[in-house]
Amino acid sequence: MAQVLFVVTILVLGYALVQITQGNLDRLSVKSGYGFLAEKAPFELGESLIPFSAGDTYLRAFVVGILNTLKVAALGIVLSTVLGLLIALGQLSPSVVVARVCRFYIETARNVPLLMQLIFWYALITASLPRVKQALSPMPGVYLSNRGLNLPSLDMGGAGGAVALALLAGMIAAIVLLMLRRRIAISPWFIGAVSILPALLTWAASGAVLSAQMPELKGFNFRGGMAVSPEFLALLLGLTIYTAAFNAEVIRAGVLGVPKGQREAATALGLKPATTMRLVIIPQALRIIIPPMGNNYLNLTKESSLAVAIGYPEVVRVANITLAETSQSIECISIIMLVFLTISLTTSALLNWFNARAALVSR
């Protein structure tokens, strides 16, 4: 009964809050509602995964912002995990120099505010790197200048988007099959085939066009290939380096949490140190590592909103521009909250599922 009263009280308070807010907006003659999402947005966005130009709807602009947020968050999670693992293993190295260097990295990266790091990397790229015509080329086809990074890319004859969607569908199907493995015997090879087969079939159905595009300097900028903007590069560097410092400490703690007897038993069986770490220590450390790593991943995703300081068009920047154009602050802020809440809950659900798979099952 008390729980019912609590829920009713929350609903009544929520309804009253909405009515008061609506009354104040009407009194101030401020538009409300989400109808503005269908109106034309009079601005351009620096980069997007889907076509966008001035005159498209605000809704499409928000989709572009959300995709940009997901792109930098996904890459940041992968890169910070790999770098964190290397730094953690470096700290556990018998070499005093390597361990001290890794420790210095952790103390430096995690004690400098992320916003300062983003501004530092952005200033370093735009002010210190050479102009386009004097771009650095560390290897053939790769150019680094004050306009960002230019890399070779694959041309699939306009079917790249369809192939990417098919690959995403295959990955989702593979995850579902992985969840069913405890109930049904499914070969890992079959799951691997399911994950890539839709993409291969889509690519074959589109004519199987595949060629490499190399960036070439034409006029005042590079043409062809894949271009990474200075804003995206600075944001990715900042998020990766900052989060990797925290990930390294989590991974180090997880490795040290595995009983010494496990390592000694593996050594007694004749396993080499690298094999022991890969097959014995890391799998057991995952049970300790996954929960705090989930918090780090959520923080990385939310901290991507700091990109507004360097002009990367993620969802918060798109909302800020939209707010300036439409003056609908409550709606724009609610969209930001809904987007980050959805991403955080989805990430938490995936990590909880993975944590349950890695946990010991008592028999």
Side-chain angles (χ1 to χ4, degrees):
M1 187 62 184
Q3 294 179 0
V4 174
L5 286 175
F6 176 77
V7 173
V8 171
T9 303
I10 293 297
L11 292 176
V12 170
L13 289 176
Y15 178 77
L17 179 63
V18 170
Q19 291 300 314
I20 293 172
T21 304
Q22 185 64 52
N24 289 334
L25 292 175
D26 292 340
R27 182 171 54 81
L28 297 172
S29 300
V30 177
K31 288 194 305 182
S32 61
Y34 294 89
F36 74 94
L37 291 174
E39 298 176 2
K40 293 182 179 179
F43 54 80
E44 298 276 358
L45 294 175
E47 58 186 284
S48 66
L49 292 176
I50 59 174
F52 179 83
S53 60
D56 287 335
T57 63
Y58 284 107
L59 177 61
R60 192 174 182 85
F62 272 105
V63 172
V64 170
I66 293 170
L67 291 177
N68 285 341
T69 297
L70 292 175
K71 180 177 72 172
V72 74
L75 286 174
I77 286 172
V78 173
L79 294 178
S80 66
T81 303
V82 174
L83 181 59
L85 176 63
L86 294 177
I87 296 298
L89 296 180
Q91 280 197 98
L92 300 172
S93 168
S95 170
V96 176
V97 175
V98 173
R100 293 296 182 188
V101 169
C102 293
R103 193 68 207 172
F104 176 77
Y105 164 83
I106 291 174
E107 295 301 338
T108 304
R110 72 177 180 178
N111 288 309
V112 176
L114 178 58
L115 181 60
M116 296 297 104
Q117 294 191 37
L118 295 182
I119 295 174
F120 168 78
W121 287 114
Y122 184 68
L124 184 69
I125 293 171
T126 56
S128 300
L129 290 179
R131 297 178 179 178
V132 172
K133 290 190 176 180
Q134 290 84 34
L136 303 175
S137 181
M139 59 182 68
V142 178
Y143 300 96
L144 189 62
S145 68
N146 60 0
R147 293 190 182 178
L149 182 64
N150 293 84
L151 302 166
S153 66
L154 293 177
D155 181 15
M156 296 186 179
V163 172
L165 288 176
L167 182 61
L168 178 62
M171 296 297 290
I172 293 174
I175 291 173
V176 173
L177 291 176
L178 282 172
M179 295 173 69
L180 295 174
R181 281 193 68 187
R182 284 190 173 183
R183 302 176 182 176
I184 308 172
I186 305 175
S187 167
W189 292 103
F190 178 75
I191 297 175
V194 168
S195 65
I196 62 172
L197 195 58
L200 290 176
L201 291 176
T202 304
W203 173 66
S206 65
V209 177
L210 184 63
S211 61
Q213 278 195 345
M214 304 296 287
E216 296 180 5
L217 182 59
K218 293 181 179 179
F220 296 102
N221 207 347
F222 286 98
R223 306 291 180 190
M226 180 175 65
V228 180
S229 68
E231 293 81 9
F232 177 79
L233 192 57
L235 178 62
L236 186 61
L237 279 173
L239 289 175
T240 299
I241 292 173
Y242 182 74
T243 308
F246 293 91
N247 288 347
E249 285 296 83
V250 171
I251 295 172
R252 184 178 69 88
V255 170
L256 293 177
V258 177
K260 291 183 179 179
Q262 298 291 319
R263 189 188 299 271
E264 293 170 354
T267 304
L269 291 173
L271 296 181
K272 295 180 179 178
T275 306
T276 301
M277 181 63 69
R278 181 168 58 88
L279 298 180
V280 178
I281 304 300
I282 293 296
Q284 296 186 72
L286 282 177
R287 294 194 296 272
I288 306 172
I289 291 171
I290 291 174
M293 288 286 276
N295 291 331
N296 291 348
Y297 293 158
L298 293 177
N299 288 335
L300 183 148
T301 303
K302 289 181 285 189
E303 285 162 349
S304 68
S305 61
L306 292 175
V308 70
I310 56 175
Y312 178 67
E314 44 73 56
V315 66
V316 175
R317 178 164 173 77
V318 172
N320 285 341
I321 299 173
T322 303
L323 192 156
E325 295 289 340
T326 64
S327 301
Q328 297 197 255
S329 55
I330 294 177
E331 290 80 0
C332 289
I333 292 173
S334 66
I335 290 174
I336 295 173
M337 293 171 63
L338 180 63
V339 167
F340 280 108
L341 181 63
T342 303
I343 294 174
S344 297
L345 291 178
T346 304
T347 305
S348 296
L350 288 174
L351 288 171
N352 288 337
W353 170 79
F354 189 68
N355 189 35
R357 297 283 302 178
L360 284 175
V361 179
S362 57
R363 301 179 184 278

